[in-house]
Amino acid sequence: MGLTQNNPLEVAGRCYLVSGAAGGLAKPIVAELLERGARLILMDTDTDGLNSVIAAHGDENAIAFTGDITDQAALDAAVDLGQTRFGCLHGGLNAAGLLPIAASDSMDADLFRQCIDVNLTGAFLFSQALAPALRAAGGGRIVHIASVSSMVSNPAYAAYAGSKGGLAQIVRVLGREWAADSIAVNAIGPALTETALTRDYLSDPAFRARAIGDIPMGRLGLPEDLVGLALLLFGPGGGFITGQTIYVDGGRTLV
Ligand SMILES: NC(=O)c1ccc[n+]([C@@H]2O[C@H](COP(=O)([O-])OP(=O)(O)OC[C@H]3O[C@@H](n4cnc5c(N)ncnc54)[C@H](O)[C@@H]3O)[C@@H](O)[C@H]2O)c1
């Protein structure tokens, strides 16, 4: 059957693990996946945040799981939960992350390590925990939220850009390593978007004006901007895309 006879964004009946599921960028993707009939394990360290996501969508097709993406046992338990409750898992969205911004002369070493631990090591462990389940399902899709900082250099972003640049490379390596198992691994690279992660920084008018000035389309990102690409990467239309970091950034990576 040709692709034109299918919906390239179809996710009905598919089951996914979502980390950072209580966060600002995950929220509209989670809402759209549920709206279209997917079933989700929602993982985050923020139990209250998870509860409010469940309150918004109901618990029929979404299960909350409090866990840390740097904790392999928690990731294994989340994958087990998905397989037990849904029968199998078809993929994962990793939207967990930290953003410490500090001039490199004064960046705290522990904060640097924590950023790498969550954004980079956590992303790797998330992928590693999912891979056997996806192999068992005959293949699957892993989508990470990277950043324009996977490519551009912003002053005071050494930890964050290091983690996100590394993530873009992990995505390329895993994409190649697991292609024969029909596991596609990709990342979405958003521009600066107002969420809990960035709200304090953006409350500084000079920071905000500079951020908008750096984006050729002249506005910050919106969480909703990522939904279309996320659906494509999970749906039949994205089946031959792997190892890519695709920027949804109003042109930020062009300058
Ligand atoms: N907001 C932006 O401007 C922006 C731009 C580019 C990329 N990103 C990336 O997108 C992702 C989501 O960011 P956001 O803006 O939604 O931030 P957010 O703070 O709203 O959400 C991040 C979520 O991750 C969770 N989290 C943090 N550490 C965790 C851990 N160790 N284990 C499990 N969950 C953990 C938090 O509790 C939170 O719910 C991050 O990776 C971020 O780097 C954000």
Side-chain angles (χ1 to χ4, degrees):
M1 186 185 285
L3 184 60
T4 48
Q5 290 166 277
N6 291 322
N7 173 0
L9 311 182
E10 179 74 64
V11 292
R14 300 267 142 184
C15 306
Y16 304 103
L17 171 63
V18 182
S19 72
L25 293 191
K27 243 170 224 170
I29 302 174
V30 162
E32 194 67 30
L33 289 171
L34 290 171
E35 176 72 23
R36 289 169 180 258
R39 293 188 286 172
L40 308 179
I41 303 293
L42 303 175
M43 177 172 170
D44 205 293
T45 45
D46 176 2
T47 306
D48 291 344
L50 285 177
N51 288 340
S52 73
V53 177
I54 295 288
H57 299 291
D59 60 3
E60 197 185 332
N61 289 320
I63 301 169
F65 180 90
T66 301
D68 191 311
I69 198 179
T70 64
D71 176 352
Q72 281 175 292
L75 286 164
D76 288 342
V79 169
D80 280 352
L81 182 63
Q83 288 184 301
T84 307
R85 296 289 288 274
F86 302 146
C88 75
L89 283 172
H90 302 102
L93 171 71
N94 166 30
L98 303 176
L99 171 59
I101 303 177
S104 294
D105 284 331
S106 57
M107 167 61 82
D108 177 74
D110 286 338
L111 208 53
F112 187 99
R113 287 192 187 96
Q114 191 189 11
C115 179
I116 299 293
D117 203 26
V118 174
N119 294 5
L120 184 61
T121 312
F124 177 74
L125 296 177
F126 177 86
S127 311
Q128 193 184 45
L130 267 169
L134 303 187
R135 249 175 235 123
R141 311 287 176 81
I142 298 175
V143 179
H144 294 282
I145 307 294
S147 168
V148 294
S149 287
S150 299
M151 182 185 282
V152 305
S153 76
N154 280 315
Y157 271 60
Y160 188 73
S163 71
K164 296 296 187 178
L167 175 56
Q169 274 297 87
I170 283 179
V171 159
R172 286 165 54 82
V173 173
L174 297 183
R176 186 165 179 192
E177 225 173 298
W178 295 343
D181 299 323
S182 298
I183 299 173
V185 187
N186 292 290
I188 298 173
L192 200 70
T193 305
E194 193 153 5
T195 66
L197 191 78
T198 55
R199 198 153 290 134
D200 284 352
Y201 299 123
L202 285 167
S203 67
D204 171 359
F207 181 98
R208 189 183 192 92
R210 210 168 38 244
I212 294 172
D214 281 343
I215 299 175
M217 285 190 171
R219 67 162 173 87
L220 296 176
L222 294 170
E224 293 73 19
D225 290 331
L226 310 183
V227 172
L229 178 57
L231 288 175
L232 179 70
L233 293 175
F234 285 125
F240 206 49
I241 304 172
T242 197
Q244 304 303 309
T245 294
I246 301 172
Y247 295 96
V248 180
D249 67 352
R252 174 66 186 90
T253 47
L254 303 178
V255 299

